[in-house]
Amino acid sequence: MKIRKVTAADLKLGMLIPWNVYGDTGALLVRKGHMIASATQIAYLIERGSFEDYTDSGPEATGPESVLRKLNGACLQLQGLQQAIAGGAAPPGLRRKLEEIATLVGDAISLNVDIATASILHNQRQAPYPVRHCVDTAIVSQVLARARERAPDDIMAVTLAALTMNLGLLEDQQRWHDGAGAFDAAERARMMAHPELSARLLAEVGITDPAWVDCVLHHHENEDGTGYPFGKAGAQIPPLAKLVILADRYCARVSERGYRPAMSANAALRDILLEARTTLHTNLASLLIRELGVYPIGSYVRLINGEVAVVSRRGLQSTTPHVESVLGPRGAPLDVFLERDTRVPLHAIREVLTNAQVAALNAPPLRMEQVWGRAAAL
């Protein structure tokens, strides 16, 4: 496989493009199968476009690494292991298998942290909620642990804890996710007990690592002592567990439920900052905002000129990220996304939109590859 520039000989009016065409930054310009409708499109693609040419490659040629493929692979592997552990039938080499999943998450972050964190907002239907939420929480936990410059063993511990924190809830979690949101007394009791049950299930399969298990046990504690299952406060809560606590709450807020739409990432961070006055660690809440940004990558925004855009990468300042416009000023989907610099007054951010608000505008589902290129391919 080689990357080749689009030439005039490759295109003609009315043809269906036989490959994905990418820009200089790797962002997807036009998807395979798009019909060339004008000479202007041809000129644009010749000027900016490249494609992956497999004509000289063998049958085993593969495309570049993809963050989403790594994360979806982690979800697929985790789903089977979660069910096996909860059912008391752990497979041989369980610890190694869980560490391999944690390594997949870490590799995805290292490949492109922006795509990894944006996937929490735009990759929600690729796995059942109990699985996907754990992988999402593992992403944010590891981002925070790296930002704190924790040792590799600590980074592995928080990642493994996030992947296994809800083993004691597997039978209930998807049903609660899809339901009306009200718990009866028995359900609330199971919710309050699940950190200890999850730790016990890990112990039954031979996993007793203190750092890992402590994070599982304490991932619902609060700084002011109002959490569960122990009601610990402040310094009584293990420092690594505080990373998982914060990641868990952020990921829960930005996930849609049967009884409510997903919050915007910006609103979720605002809520977390308010909670930091009582239930969350103030410095860690600020760290989360610093790492994800005021407008987290993947957030939808409306610009001053009326376009709807998705935040694609950070800008020079946290309040002026780079975005890709996906809907025009009158709400029409754009065949080719337009990169905008929000420092420009006409393209400044007017408001944040939720995924549900954008869907209500009849916007087609966002394919992450359109914004972040081949590293976001499914």
Side-chain angles (χ1 to χ4, degrees), residues 40-312:
T40 302
Q41 285 185 349
I42 292 176
Y44 175 83
L45 293 174
I46 291 172
E47 178 185 358
R48 297 185 57 184
S50 301
F51 65 94
E52 296 168 345
D53 186 354
Y54 288 92
T55 55
D56 297 327
S57 301
E60 297 182 358
T62 59
E65 287 189 299
S66 163
V67 172
L68 291 194
R69 291 192 195 113
K70 290 180 184 295
L71 294 176
N72 290 344
C75 285
L76 184 63
Q77 294 178 45
L78 181 63
Q79 184 173 3
L81 291 183
Q82 282 183 334
Q83 293 170 347
I85 297 170
L94 171 66
R95 182 192 184 93
R96 174 181 54 78
K97 293 177 187 295
L98 286 169
E99 288 177 345
E100 287 173 353
I101 296 171
T103 299
L104 265 180
V105 172
D107 288 347
I109 294 168
S110 296
L111 182 58
N112 191 310
V113 66
D114 288 348
I115 297 173
T117 54
S119 75
I120 298 169
L121 308 179
H122 293 290
N123 199 38
Q124 295 197 2
R125 300 185 185 277
Q126 293 299 317
Y129 176 75
V131 178
R132 179 180 52 75
H133 176 65
C134 287
V135 172
D136 290 347
T137 303
I139 293 168
V140 179
S141 296
Q142 189 166 143
V143 167
L144 291 172
R146 291 185 183 197
R148 297 284 282 184
E149 299 183 346
R150 301 299 306 222
D153 286 350
D154 289 344
I155 294 174
M156 179 61 76
V158 298
T159 308
L160 290 166
L163 295 174
T164 56
M165 63 186 179
N166 291 331
L167 292 173
L169 271 187
L170 292 185
E171 293 185 3
D172 295 307
Q173 199 172 19
Q174 187 67 50
R175 178 167 52 83
W176 291 346
H177 173 270
D178 297 336
F183 292 168
D184 60 28
E187 289 173 326
R188 185 163 296 279
R190 292 201 298 276
M191 171 66 77
M192 300 281 284
H194 87 267
E196 291 178 283
L197 178 55
S198 298
R200 187 159 63 248
L201 288 168
L202 286 172
E204 288 173 358
V205 295
I207 293 171
T208 58
D209 304 50
W212 177 350
V213 175
D214 277 350
C215 288
V216 171
L217 281 170
H218 294 89
H219 77 276
H220 279 292
E221 298 291 349
N222 289 332
E223 285 292 312
D224 62 359
T226 60
Y228 62 88
F230 307 117
K232 291 185 178 180
Q236 296 175 312
I237 304 170
L240 290 180
K242 295 184 181 187
L243 304 181
V244 182
I245 290 168
L246 192 57
D248 180 33
R249 294 191 191 181
Y250 169 76
C251 293
R253 281 169 168 76
V254 299
S255 293
E256 63 181 4
R257 305 290 178 89
Y259 54 90
R260 63 156 175 81
M263 293 179 70
S264 72
N266 175 270
L269 291 177
R270 186 170 61 246
D271 267 15
I272 283 171
L273 194 59
L274 291 174
E275 277 192 56
R277 299 175 182 176
T278 53
T279 63
L280 292 172
H281 191 285
T282 303
N283 291 344
L284 291 181
S286 298
L287 176 67
L288 179 65
I289 294 171
R290 190 185 79 199
E291 291 303 307
L292 297 186
V294 174
Y295 300 105
I297 307 299
S299 300
Y300 280 118
V301 293
R302 191 188 301 277
L303 308 183
I304 291 295
N305 70 349
E307 293 174 353
V308 172
V310 63
V311 177
S312 57

